[in-house]
Amino acid sequence: MKNKKSFAPQEAETRPSRCPDNSAFKQQKLPAWKPRLTIATVLSTFFLTGAFCLSVGVCLILSANSVREIQINYSDKCSDCSKLRENSSNWNNECLCSINFTLKEDMLGDVFMYYGLQNFYQNHRRYVISRSDAQLLGRDVNVQRSYCTPFIAYQNGTPMAPCGAIANSMFNDTIDLFYNFNSSVIQVPLLKTGNSWWTDKNVKFRNPKSHNLSSAFAGTARPPYWQKPVYLLDEEDERNNGYINDDFIIWMRVSAFATFRNLYRRVSRTRWFADGLPAGNYTFHISYNFPVTKFKGKKYVILSTMVWSGGSNPFLGIAYVVCGAAATLTGFIITAIHLKLRKKKTYFQK
């Protein structure tokens, strides 16, 4: 018994201690600031926050309302082409339609052209993951192991490039804009490059390494709904082909809502259009390829200018106004409660 008791203190000394280190940080001895919340500081914080949010919100709303925008629904106006596209066997038959419209005021500055889709659900879980990021980086990968099913390969085993439902459903209408000046018709120059994000163009998408794109994509086939292979998306500019095509990159960034718009073109500010789009009569020439009747959708073409706060979207301004109004209202409620309690306190003291 004595031997056991004599070894107990030695075992306690060798046992690791659970106490934190004797430092200012771990012993909570660092200097700290403990604010004393008084009624003056609380009310000033609420009222200043409310005033700031309200002023910013009003500025954002006024800025969004100053954007010049015109939106045209052409899914109904091109009804003949829409009926033609209902039958998938007519995919190789070209269908053109024209839409006339008038700009009553000049659209000064940079003018952007968007295509809009309604009732097209890109946020479906199976649709969102139906892609191969490794393939889009130009790597030689086995797409059979990806989530591209069923748009992976054809029955003869030829793989699709690019694979997946997102790429297969790419928007492929062609839209041209013409300016009707007196008796002449002037085509508005549109920029098809420089519209995607820099990170997408230079980081997330890459073409396979080869001396030319046609050999790089040898042994692959276009998706079923495409009219051209991926290396011929832009026959006028070789640098805008393959996986780094701007239209393809923009489409691959899926939308969170069923109604959305994607940037399609930018007006080149040259000659007649150096200051933007002048007021007058215009015509959209549309090659109708993208069917929307099966899912009861609609298609739009949108012309819009840009301001310092972005495009015509008042959501951020409304959010600031709501937050500012809530902060101001809370400040008034706290003031009323404080005055009421102070009156009771003075009454009981008397």
Side-chain angles (χ1 to χ4, degrees):
M1 295 294 292
K2 291 182 180 180
N3 293 335
K4 292 183 179 179
K5 290 183 179 179
S6 62
F7 285 110
Q10 294 179 0
E11 293 179 359
E13 291 178 359
T14 58
R15 190 180 304 161
S17 175
R18 295 184 179 180
C19 296
D21 296 336
N22 190 18
S23 61
F25 177 75
K26 293 187 177 181
Q27 295 296 335
Q28 300 184 6
K29 295 180 181 180
L30 291 175
W33 177 61
K34 298 180 180 180
R36 297 181 62 185
L37 298 178
T38 62
I39 188 64
T41 57
V42 172
L43 290 179
S44 59
T45 301
F46 274 102
F47 284 122
L48 289 175
T49 303
F52 172 78
C53 291
L54 286 173
S55 58
V56 172
V58 171
C59 292
L60 289 174
I61 291 175
L62 293 176
S63 176
N65 291 335
S66 65
V67 174
R68 294 274 299 129
E69 181 176 299
I70 182 171
Q71 179 172 298
I72 297 175
N73 179 359
Y74 71 92
S75 52
D76 296 331
K77 294 184 179 181
C78 300
S79 57
D80 294 338
C81 292
S82 178
K83 293 178 181 178
L84 180 69
R85 289 289 175 257
E86 288 181 3
N87 189 351
S88 59
S89 61
N90 297 324
W91 68 271
N92 202 24
N93 297 329
E94 186 179 16
C95 188
L96 302 174
C97 67
S98 299
I99 300 174
N100 299 318
F101 67 98
T102 302
L103 281 181
K104 297 182 180 180
E105 298 179 2
D106 296 341
M107 298 184 72
L108 301 177
D110 294 330
V111 182
F112 300 85
M113 180 187 294
Y114 300 85
Y115 62 84
L117 291 176
Q118 182 177 339
N119 207 36
F120 190 92
Y121 289 86
Q122 284 191 314
N123 55 5
H124 192 279
R125 182 181 62 86
R126 293 289 299 274
Y127 182 88
V128 171
I129 65 175
S130 184
R131 59 188 291 166
S132 173
D133 292 324
Q135 184 193 46
L136 298 176
L137 284 171
R139 300 172 183 171
D140 187 11
V141 295
N142 184 8
V143 294
Q144 298 288 344
R145 299 179 180 179
S146 66
Y147 294 101
C148 291
T149 307
F151 302 102
I152 291 180
Y154 288 92
Q155 293 181 353
N156 59 2
T158 305
M160 299 180 188
C163 70
I166 305 177
N168 183 60
S169 61
M170 177 181 167
F171 182 86
N172 58 351
D173 283 0
T174 303
I175 306 173
D176 294 316
L177 181 61
F178 292 87
Y179 176 44
N180 304 318
F181 181 72
N182 294 334
S183 58
S184 60
V185 178
I186 303 170
Q187 184 172 6
V188 180
L190 301 175
L191 300 175
K192 60 177 68 176
T193 58
N195 300 325
S196 59
W197 293 12
W198 185 91
T199 52
D200 289 347
K201 187 83 171 181
N202 297 276
V203 179
K204 295 184 178 180
F205 292 83
R206 283 280 191 276
N207 280 329
K209 293 182 180 180
S210 181
H211 62 280
N212 59 53
L213 281 182
S214 59
S215 61
F217 289 98
T220 63
R222 58 177 174 80
Y225 291 173
W226 284 28
Q227 298 174 343
K228 305 176 183 177
V230 66
Y231 54 87
L232 291 178
L233 289 178
D234 189 350
E235 298 179 0
E236 299 176 358
D237 188 357
E238 294 181 356
R239 297 170 299 177
N240 191 37
N241 267 319
Y243 296 147
I244 59 173
N245 176 266
D246 275 47
D247 293 338
F248 174 70
I249 291 174
I250 291 173
W251 177 259
M252 293 300 290
R253 184 175 288 276
V254 297
S255 173
F257 301 98
T259 299
F260 61 92
R261 63 174 67 178
N262 284 337
L263 181 60
Y264 181 67
R265 297 289 184 266
R266 291 177 294 124
V267 174
S268 178
R269 298 178 62 176
T270 56
R271 301 184 62 184
W272 294 86
F273 313 100
D275 298 326
L277 290 181
N281 298 320
Y282 290 84
T283 302
F284 280 123
H285 287 185
I286 301 173
S287 176
Y288 199 106
N289 300 309
F290 193 85
V292 295
T293 53
K294 289 186 177 181
F295 57 88
K296 299 180 181 180
K298 293 182 179 180
K299 295 191 292 186
Y300 302 88
V301 58
I302 303 148
L303 292 174
S304 177
T305 58
M306 196 74 71
V307 292
W308 63 270
S309 61
S312 178
N313 188 359
F315 173 78
L316 187 60
I318 295 173
Y320 266 101
V321 170
V322 171
C323 292
T328 305
L329 181 62
T330 304
F332 280 117
I333 293 174
I334 294 175
T335 302
I337 294 174
H338 171 68
L339 294 176
K340 186 177 180 180
L341 293 178
R342 190 174 65 175
K343 287 181 180 180
K344 287 185 177 180
K345 186 177 180 179
T346 54
Y347 173 77
F348 286 115
Q349 286 178 352
K350 292 180 180 181

